[in-house]
Amino acid sequence: MENTMKVNFKVWRQKDAKSKGEFKLYKDVETTPDTSFLETLDILNESLIEKGEEPIVFDHDCREGICGMCSLYVNGHPHGPATCATTCQLYMRRFKDGETITVEPWRSAAFPVIKDLMVNRNAFDQIQQAGGYVSFACGGAQDANAIPISKENADLAMDAATCIGCGACVAACKNGSAMLFVSAKVSQFALLPQGQVEATRRVKAMVAKMDELGFGNCTNTRACEAECPKGISISNIARLNREYLSAKLKD
């Protein structure tokens, strides 16, 4: 028989962005070490429904570490204590039997609370939309070596493109900065020839939209890099700054 454990959840409950929220304690939630964190929240919600209480609202989709929707602040860490993992990849073996686990939504003015643990991350969508399109002559499938790209640049672009837009970088930053996210989205195009046509327009538009939406400034504490579930490097922020300065000088 699989070992069982009990944990307590101290969960932030909030009706909407305008309402005042508060923590509510749920005791003795039974689970197992090999059960995922989100599945344990499902167990808690099932018990709340059985009691006629309102279940806890939280975001989730793929539960495979790809979509970035499981944006929970767990025991003071975006996505929880696991390194390079999203909340849906977090398992209860990371916690002790009888432990009280604090669960909060992202804390950022740019990510207003929708309800309970769910926040509106549409600001990231707006920044990507500001970046716009990539001009490329789409014909038949090209040969693999038709557009020469160094392996170093290809690897760096792919590393930047692994950003899932979850918002952990913003949640981890004391300033609520979105620089790691924006730099990853700029870098994945800036490093490749296909991204050069709109490069100057793209970086200026995305930075302008980021500032307009109220994200804070970067002060290089590297908290974003430490908490990013995909290990996005802050070297991308340096690249973003170079791209932005170059674009402004061209003006």
Side-chain angles (χ1 to χ4, degrees):
M1 182 176 179
E2 190 175 11
N3 293 331
T4 60
M5 59 187 290
K6 289 184 179 180
V7 294
N8 306 315
F9 278 112
K10 185 179 178 183
V11 182
W12 184 260
R13 302 302 303 263
Q14 185 173 340
K15 185 178 179 181
D16 52 45
K18 295 181 180 179
S19 300
K20 184 178 180 180
E22 63 179 358
F23 282 106
K24 189 165 183 179
L25 183 63
Y26 301 96
K27 294 184 177 180
D28 298 329
V29 179
E30 189 169 309
T31 184
T32 70
D34 291 332
T35 301
S36 76
F37 191 84
L38 294 190
E39 287 171 335
T40 304
L41 284 179
D42 289 337
I43 293 170
L44 171 56
N45 273 342
E46 287 174 5
S47 69
L48 292 177
I49 293 169
E50 288 174 0
K51 295 174 185 176
E53 298 180 31
E54 192 169 355
I56 300 162
V57 175
F58 61 94
D59 238 339
H60 61 94
D61 190 5
C62 74
R63 298 201 178 195
E64 294 180 346
I66 299 170
C67 70
M69 292 186 71
C70 53
S71 47
L72 299 182
Y73 209 82
V74 183
N75 282 353
H77 293 276
H79 291 298
T83 303
C84 288
T86 54
T87 310
C88 63
Q89 296 173 308
L90 180 65
Y91 287 85
M92 298 310 295
R93 53 180 169 268
R94 285 274 180 176
F95 306 96
K96 296 177 181 177
D97 187 25
E99 182 175 349
T100 296
I101 304 168
T102 303
V103 191
E104 304 170 73
W106 285 171
R107 302 292 191 180
S108 171
F111 295 156
V113 172
I114 296 174
K115 188 172 184 178
D116 294 340
L117 304 174
M118 181 185 289
V119 300
N120 186 346
R121 291 177 294 129
N122 178 256
F124 271 10
D125 296 330
Q126 292 183 56
I127 291 172
Q128 291 189 95
Q129 288 162 8
Y133 54 85
V134 173
S135 291
F136 189 69
C138 296
Q142 293 183 305
D143 292 337
N145 298 320
I147 303 177
I149 301 171
S150 70
K151 186 178 188 307
E152 180 183 4
N153 282 351
D155 288 347
L156 289 172
M158 183 60 73
D159 289 343
T162 60
C163 170
I164 55 178
C166 66
C169 51
V170 177
C173 179
K174 65 179 182 179
N175 306 319
S177 172
M179 283 288 281
L180 190 67
F181 166 76
V182 177
S183 68
K185 297 307 175 186
V186 166
S187 292
Q188 71 185 60
F189 293 123
L191 287 159
L192 303 176
Q194 295 95 323
Q196 298 307 309
V197 179
E198 291 85 21
T200 55
R201 182 204 59 78
R202 179 184 303 111
V203 68
K204 289 187 293 183
M206 294 182 78
V207 169
K209 180 58 71 172
M210 173 183 69
D211 293 340
E212 176 193 324
L213 293 169
F215 289 101
N217 294 320
C218 174
T219 50
N220 290 313
T221 63
R222 302 186 73 172
C224 55
E225 181 183 62
E227 299 288 3
C228 176
K230 296 301 176 181
I232 303 296
S233 171
I234 62 166
S235 63
N236 289 298
I237 296 178
R239 183 176 297 104
L240 169 63
N241 289 332
R242 291 194 299 270
E243 290 288 323
Y244 184 76
L245 180 59
S246 175
K248 296 300 283 186
L249 286 174
K250 288 179 181 178
D251 286 347

